[in-house]
């Protein structure tokens, strides 16, 4: 059976922390689907199309990584893509507690057998989050050290 993992998130934008998780997971799975979830109640800085292009360019060197978008529950996306693993990155204890609750919920609401696999973000990247990157971008800071080179942002001057 093929080992397929889903790495879900909004990736608004993808960061070098996300890339760290992807790169380290590549040898662990036959296929990794970077799954960009959509939430109509959430306001995104980058459009779904922009986020998808950023990620596709960033992961193009990995033969076993694809990018898809989805609506609804991640567990349903896994079922529809024959994925038996959900890949999640952990930066700190708060991430672990949050992700643990989601993993337990996924097991409780589904008859589909999916394991959540946690990878710790490398220590030099553990401070990076998409929300921090967005704040740096909006305020005209040097964001390029925090994201893959595929992520482009033109700061609007007021």
């Amino acid at each position: 059976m093929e080992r397929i993992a889903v790495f879900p998130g909004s990736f608004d934008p993808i960061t070098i922390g996300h890339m760290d998780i992807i790169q380290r997971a590549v040898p662990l799975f036959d296929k990794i689907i970077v799954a960009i979830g959509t939430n109509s109640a959430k306001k995104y800085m980058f459009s779904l199309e922009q986020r998808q292009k950023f990620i596709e360019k960033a992961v193009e060197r990995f033969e076993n990584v694809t990018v898809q978008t989805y609506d609804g529950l991640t567990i349903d996306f896994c079922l529809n893509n024959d994925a038996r693993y959900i890949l999640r990155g952990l930066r700190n204890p708060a991430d672990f507690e949050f992700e643990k609750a989601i993993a337990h919920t996924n097991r409780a609401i589904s008859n589909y057998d999916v394991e959540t696999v946690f990878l710790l973000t490398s220590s030099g990247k553990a401070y990076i989050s998409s929300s921090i990157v967005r704040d740096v971008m909006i305020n005209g800071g040097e964001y390029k050290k925090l994201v893959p080179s595929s992520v482009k942002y033109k700061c609007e001057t007021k």
Side-chain angles (χ1 to χ4, degrees):
M1 178 182 286
E2 196 174 30
R3 292 170 310 194
I4 302 171
V6 169
F7 185 31
S10 60
F11 303 102
D12 188 34
I14 188 167
T15 70
I16 60 171
H18 294 125
M19 289 302 299
D20 173 63
I21 297 298
I22 293 167
Q23 183 172 355
R24 291 175 36 235
V26 161
L28 303 177
F29 299 100
D30 298 312
K31 180 179 179 182
I32 298 171
I33 304 168
V34 179
I36 309 168
T38 58
N39 179 343
S40 60
K42 192 171 179 181
K43 185 177 182 207
Y44 296 104
M45 183 171 181
F46 295 98
S47 72
L48 183 61
E49 294 76 23
Q50 286 174 307
R51 289 180 281 147
Q52 186 168 4
K53 285 179 185 174
F54 292 159
I55 299 167
E56 286 172 347
K57 181 73 174 163
V59 301
E60 67 185 0
R61 70 182 186 267
F62 303 118
E63 292 182 14
N64 63 334
V65 179
T66 63
V67 182
Q68 294 184 42
T69 63
Y70 73 103
D71 292 307
L73 297 174
T74 302
I75 198 78
D76 292 336
F77 180 82
C78 290
L79 175 62
N80 293 333
N81 287 276
D82 296 321
R84 296 283 180 182
Y85 305 93
I86 296 174
L87 176 63
R88 299 301 295 163
L90 300 176
R91 296 170 299 186
N92 54 49
D95 280 356
F96 173 71
E97 290 301 325
F98 179 73
E99 295 295 342
K100 179 176 74 167
I102 293 172
H104 286 312
T105 302
N106 283 337
R107 290 178 82 68
I109 66 172
S110 175
N111 293 327
Y112 185 63
D113 187 25
V114 175
E115 284 294 335
T116 300
V117 176
F118 299 113
L119 291 181
L120 299 177
T121 304
S122 297
S123 62
K125 297 174 181 80
Y127 65 94
I128 301 168
S129 70
S130 292
S131 58
I132 289 172
V133 171
R134 288 192 305 271
D135 194 44
V136 170
M137 289 174 159
I138 289 167
N139 289 291
E142 180 49 54
Y143 70 90
K144 292 182 180 184
K145 295 178 182 177
L146 306 174
V147 296
S149 61
S150 60
V151 176
K152 307 290 184 211
Y153 176 71
K154 183 176 179 181
C155 183
E156 296 182 25
T157 55
K158 297 185 178 176

